Amino acid sequence: MGVIESIVERVRAILITVQDFTIFAASTLRACVSPPFYGREITHQLFFAGIGSLLIVVLSSAVAGQALAIQLARELAASGAKAQLGHFMVISVVRALGPVLVGMVVASRMSAGITAELAAMRATDQLDALVAFGSDPMKRLVVPRLVALTVALPALTVIGDTLAVLGGGLVGMQYHITWETYTNGVLKYLTPKNILVGMIKPFLFAIMIVIVACWKGFRSEGGAKGVGVSTTESVVISSVGILVLDGVLTRLVFKLLHW
């Protein structure tokens, strides 16, 4: 096969993959709006996504928030504007760092878990068994995970943002910034617009994470080795997807809000 034929074949394979993912995503969203709905499975997945991810979100947000606050406090103190620490913490955490940090942490855990589980079910023909018994795998396996994470990820982001901002206040006190000055700055810039920007992102991140993870799980091939490959690819795609989606959403929201 020549170079041109190889390139054409590669492009064709990419287009087929994009088409397959697009059809899977559309089928997932369509399945969300029609019964049956599996309430018990949604509750189970909500516990797995929310409570199961809580500890790593708390630890990562507290550490990242204090690291960011130290950097900001040192620079602001040097320029004589350390009273603005609360302002900069809200802008940095609520608009940008918080949603991306929590999204990446949760994506690593949820993508790996979902893809490995579904890929193992495919390898052992359990997905075919569901169809044979009259269950739709899309409604029984994908939709509950999608509903659960679209609820859990925004809630985890609120918790992570709160801890990061509170951690910034503790750091500020080490630089002789009073708690009252810090909280005044936080409350002044904790506006509906800033909160809206910060809460749109985790909602869309959750949809992307679940669709990618389920898609890789459903398309897994090659037995145990295929499970490992699909899981790795799922985590990589979800992590890169969050960064790309964050860049696109930031530009879009800034344009829509005329910032």
Side-chain angles (χ1 to χ4, degrees):
M1 181 183 292
V3 175
I4 295 179
E5 287 83 359
S6 178
I7 293 174
V8 169
E9 188 62 27
R10 182 65 177 167
V11 171
R12 179 174 172 274
I14 292 174
L15 291 177
I16 290 175
T17 302
V18 172
Q19 181 189 43
D20 183 51
F21 176 76
T22 304
I23 293 173
F24 185 88
S27 300
T28 300
L29 297 178
R30 187 168 59 247
C32 289
V33 296
S34 60
F37 301 106
Y38 295 90
R40 180 176 297 179
E41 185 65 19
I42 291 174
T43 304
H44 173 73
Q45 293 299 328
L46 188 58
F47 183 84
F48 176 72
I51 304 301
S53 304
L54 184 59
L55 180 59
I56 55 175
V57 168
V58 167
L59 291 175
S60 58
S61 298
V63 173
Q66 293 200 28
L68 175 65
I70 291 172
Q71 298 288 340
L72 289 174
R74 289 176 63 87
E75 295 300 321
L76 292 172
S79 61
K82 61 183 182 181
Q84 298 298 317
L85 179 61
H87 162 204
F88 283 99
M89 281 297 293
V90 168
I91 299 299
S92 302
V93 172
V94 176
R95 279 194 197 172
L97 178 65
V100 173
L101 175 66
V102 175
M104 295 284 279
V105 169
V106 174
S108 300
R109 179 175 180 274
M110 293 300 297
S111 296
I114 292 173
T115 303
E117 182 181 359
L118 297 185
M121 293 180 69
R122 178 175 171 79
T124 54
D125 297 327
Q126 292 182 59
L127 295 181
D128 294 334
L130 280 177
V131 176
F133 281 103
S135 292
D136 183 350
M138 191 69 75
K139 290 183 177 296
R140 191 177 186 91
L141 300 175
V142 180
V143 172
R145 287 164 173 78
L146 181 62
V147 173
L149 197 58
T150 52
V151 173
L153 191 54
L156 290 169
T157 301
V158 171
I159 295 172
D161 288 355
T162 303
L163 290 173
V165 172
L166 290 176
L170 298 177
V171 170
M173 294 173 72
Q174 299 173 17
Y175 287 84
H176 307 292
I177 302 171
T178 65
W179 186 258
E180 183 180 6
T181 301
Y182 181 79
T183 52
N184 286 339
V186 169
L187 295 175
K188 182 178 180 182
Y189 289 93
L190 199 61
T191 62
K193 280 187 177 181
N194 287 331
I195 295 174
L196 177 65
V197 172
M199 295 313 297
I200 287 176
K201 291 179 180 179
F203 180 75
L204 296 178
F205 289 166
I207 295 175
M208 187 271 297
I209 291 169
V210 173
I211 291 178
V212 168
C214 292
W215 175 64
K216 294 303 296 185
F218 274 43
R219 299 294 185 264
S220 176
E221 294 179 346
K225 184 178 179 181
V227 173
V229 172
S230 298
T231 302
T232 303
E233 291 178 348
S234 175
V235 174
V236 171
I237 295 173
S238 295
S239 300
V240 174
I242 285 175
L243 297 177
V244 173
L245 197 55
D246 179 58
V248 172
L249 288 174
T250 300
R251 284 183 174 275
L252 182 62
V253 169
F254 272 45
K255 188 173 183 179
L256 291 175
L257 295 180
H258 303 292
W259 279 349

